Amino acid sequence: MKSTFFRPLLEAAIVLFVVLGAARWVTGLFAKRTQVYQTTAARQMRLLFWPLLALGAGLSVLPAVAMGSTPVSGFEWALTLGFMAFTLGLSGPALLLHLRYWVLNHDTVLVFQPVDNRFEVYAAGQRLPFERRDLACVEHVTCSARRTFWAKYDYLTLHLHDGRSITLTSLLTELEPLAVFLRSLPTDRRIKAWCWV
């Protein structure tokens, strides 16, 4: 009975791992080094790979148990629901952060060429009117939970002298080079367990 319970789980996990691994590899092939950063499929797949794999593994358990040919005991249901809750606890915060960051930056384009001292932000195709001298301070928030699926989600908020603020998230690119580029400005570095904006 144990083999009929765990075999579909193992097969589903292997299929998910292969499909997501192949998708990540293919998007990596077509990714290119650029100075223009936006929310691309390759970047999103890089951030969502492990959370989606965990979520898929957790959700794949339910059909295997519910539609099995043999009756399932209460212990197996408890084990199934516990496994689903565990994988949702691992992947859920990363998926929520990803959705929030996507809402903030899905139409944002960052042009960043430190060699040429070029730093521009576009929203909905329009350049946001500011220069480097207009920045009052920079807020850089990173994740303290390094061994979690949401560890790579961080954000940078640019506070302008006129009261406006512009938030750039890790959905666009790695933000550390940009923070280094803006190091001459007053910078508030904060570390949180979960980088919700």
Side-chain angles (χ1 to χ4, degrees):
M1 178 142 179
K2 285 184 182 178
S3 63
T4 61
F5 176 71
F6 288 111
R7 184 173 179 168
L9 298 179
L10 183 60
E11 289 172 353
I14 290 171
V15 168
L16 278 170
F17 184 76
V18 169
V19 167
L20 287 175
R24 186 173 179 182
W25 179 74
V26 167
T27 57
L29 280 179
F30 297 107
K32 58 182 180 184
R33 287 280 177 205
T34 181
Q35 308 300 327
V36 178
Y37 303 98
Q38 55 192 355
T39 53
T40 61
R43 178 76 181 152
Q44 290 189 63
M45 181 53 82
R46 196 173 304 122
L47 290 170
L48 283 176
F49 179 75
W50 289 109
L52 286 178
L53 185 64
L55 183 66
L59 294 179
S60 68
V61 174
L62 189 60
V65 172
M67 297 179 186
S69 58
T70 58
V72 180
S73 70
F75 174 73
E76 289 175 328
W77 271 113
L79 203 67
T80 301
L81 294 176
F83 182 68
M84 285 179 59
F86 174 72
T87 55
L88 191 59
L90 283 176
S91 60
L95 296 173
L96 283 174
L97 277 179
H98 193 92
L99 180 63
R100 174 65 178 149
Y101 286 13
W102 187 84
V103 167
L104 286 171
N105 285 151
H106 73 280
D107 65 347
T108 303
V109 175
L110 169 67
V111 178
F112 177 51
Q113 294 172 311
V115 175
D116 300 330
N117 202 26
R118 186 174 178 201
F119 171 55
E120 299 169 355
V121 179
Y122 295 81
Q126 300 293 320
R127 184 172 186 258
L128 298 178
F130 74 91
E131 299 296 330
R132 190 170 173 173
R133 65 178 175 270
D134 299 327
L135 297 173
C137 68
V138 177
E139 178 185 0
H140 188 195
V141 180
T142 56
C143 184
S144 64
R146 297 271 61 108
R147 297 179 186 263
T148 59
F149 292 153
W150 59 91
K152 292 185 178 182
Y153 288 88
D154 59 341
Y155 65 92
L156 200 72
T157 303
L158 311 172
H159 297 281
L160 282 72
H161 288 296
D162 62 7
R164 291 180 297 153
S165 63
I166 300 167
T167 301
L168 304 171
T169 65
S170 55
L171 226 60
L172 297 170
T173 185
E174 299 289 333
L175 295 175
E176 190 58 37
L178 183 56
V180 169
F181 177 73
L182 298 171
R183 68 184 172 272
S184 61
L185 295 166
T187 303
D188 178 20
R189 284 190 175 265
R190 290 191 287 145
I191 298 174
K192 294 182 179 179
W194 195 53
C195 298
W196 184 263
V197 183

